[in-house]
Amino acid sequence: MLSSLFSPVKIGTMVSKNRLMMSAMSINFGVDENGWVTDQLTEYFVHRARGGVGMMLVGGGGIHPGGRELPDLPQMDDDGCIPALEKMVAAVKPYDTLFGVQLMHGGRQSYLPQKVAPSAIPAPAVVKGEVRALEIHEIEELVQCFGKAAERCRRAGFDFIEIHAAHGYLINQFMSPNANIRTDEYGGCFGNRVRFLLEVIEDIRNRAGKDFPVGVRINGNDYIENGWTLADAVRLAPVLEQ
């Protein structure tokens, strides 16, 4: 059965040379003062591609200056990031590895002092600090920030993107009752709580193209009281597939 790990697999419009994917990680090095990638991060991914992985992701790609999870993660929130990303993609391309970017906003789990989230509820662990609830116009702006960041990634030559909608970051905060007590169209029932994610996907498809592969990272259970559950994930998956 292990032989299948090294056989090709088709995912949407992409064909990976094997079934091995290096997941996105918050490496937290290899960017300059603007958050644009440097030769250090490029070389890091070249070494991983050389190892033979079929797919890999740049982790923690920031879509907005106010949503950084950590200080030294790559930022995709300005067109100035594109030349360095193009150089990174060109360096990886000879190794026949599908190369993607994970896009995210930390929300109440951002390392920055001015944190925003669906509701003014601090994170339950690890990240401390006051949180301000997002206004509707700010939510709409963040939807567009995801779309514009995806468009930049496509312009830079990446093969696909992944939306980080798990592990307590902003999109997961919208989806989880533990973090979202809004009473408007983004809170309350299941359909309202997943609205932000679906709007993000729609904006990405409109800006980056309907043929640009988009993945969504979700978790099965928050394991906290009144959190996102496995039943929620099972309910969401076919909606995302559609």
Side-chain angles (χ1 to χ4, degrees):
M1 293 298 292
L2 288 178
S3 61
S4 63
L5 286 174
F6 302 99
S7 62
V9 59
K10 190 174 189 296
I11 305 171
T13 59
M14 302 184 297
V15 177
S16 175
K17 64 185 178 183
N18 58 47
R19 315 299 177 96
L20 303 175
M21 184 178 83
M22 177 181 142
S23 298
M25 294 176 280
S26 297
I27 300 169
N28 202 35
F29 66 72
V31 299
D32 64 17
E33 64 276 8
N34 298 309
W36 302 343
V37 303
T38 65
D39 290 344
Q40 182 190 26
L41 193 61
T42 295
E43 191 63 20
Y44 173 91
F45 281 106
V46 166
H47 276 279
R48 271 74 196 161
R50 191 179 293 152
V53 66
M55 303 175 69
M56 63 182 184
L57 286 146
V58 179
I63 59 97
H64 188 277
R68 291 191 183 193
E69 178 205 359
L70 292 169
D72 293 317
L73 294 180
Q75 298 302 298
M76 317 293 175
D77 55 9
D78 184 278
D79 286 353
C81 73
I82 295 175
L85 294 176
E86 289 177 326
K87 183 178 178 181
M88 173 185 280
V89 170
V92 167
K93 193 170 289 293
Y95 300 97
D96 190 27
T97 298
L98 293 174
F99 198 17
V101 176
Q102 179 193 74
L103 299 178
M104 68 168 295
H105 187 293
R108 67 181 185 178
Q109 292 189 166
S110 166
Y111 87 98
L112 299 167
Q114 305 296 323
K115 307 180 200 303
V116 295
S119 302
I121 303 173
V126 184
V127 181
K128 304 300 181 182
E130 294 298 315
V131 180
R132 179 178 63 79
L134 287 160
E135 302 288 343
I136 290 289
H137 71 90
E138 293 175 308
I139 295 173
E140 294 170 348
E141 177 190 353
L142 289 176
V143 167
Q144 295 173 26
C145 286
F146 272 98
K148 291 176 182 177
E151 183 181 18
R152 293 183 186 105
C153 291
R154 180 162 199 178
R155 287 168 57 190
F158 285 98
D159 298 298
F160 67 103
I161 61 158
E162 175 184 87
I163 302 168
H164 200 341
H167 309 151
Y169 298 116
L170 183 65
I171 296 177
N172 177 257
Q173 292 162 30
F174 270 96
M175 298 195 300
S176 175
N178 173 271
N180 183 352
I181 57 171
R182 300 180 72 96
T183 57
D184 57 20
E185 62 266 39
Y186 291 97
C189 68
F190 179 86
N192 283 357
R193 288 184 283 111
V194 302
R195 184 186 302 276
F196 180 62
L197 170 58
L198 299 184
E199 289 181 351
V200 164
I201 294 172
E202 181 179 10
D203 200 81
I204 287 172
R205 289 172 65 81
N206 288 338
R207 295 179 189 274
K210 298 188 185 304
D211 61 332
F212 190 47
V214 177
V216 182
R217 186 172 188 170
I218 60 174
N219 56 273
N221 200 312
D222 284 344
Y223 292 106
I224 57 176
E225 184 178 356
N226 202 30
W228 180 257
T229 68
L230 181 58
D232 292 324
V234 170
R235 187 176 178 184
L236 177 63
V239 176
L240 296 178
E241 183 179 28
Q242 183 180 17

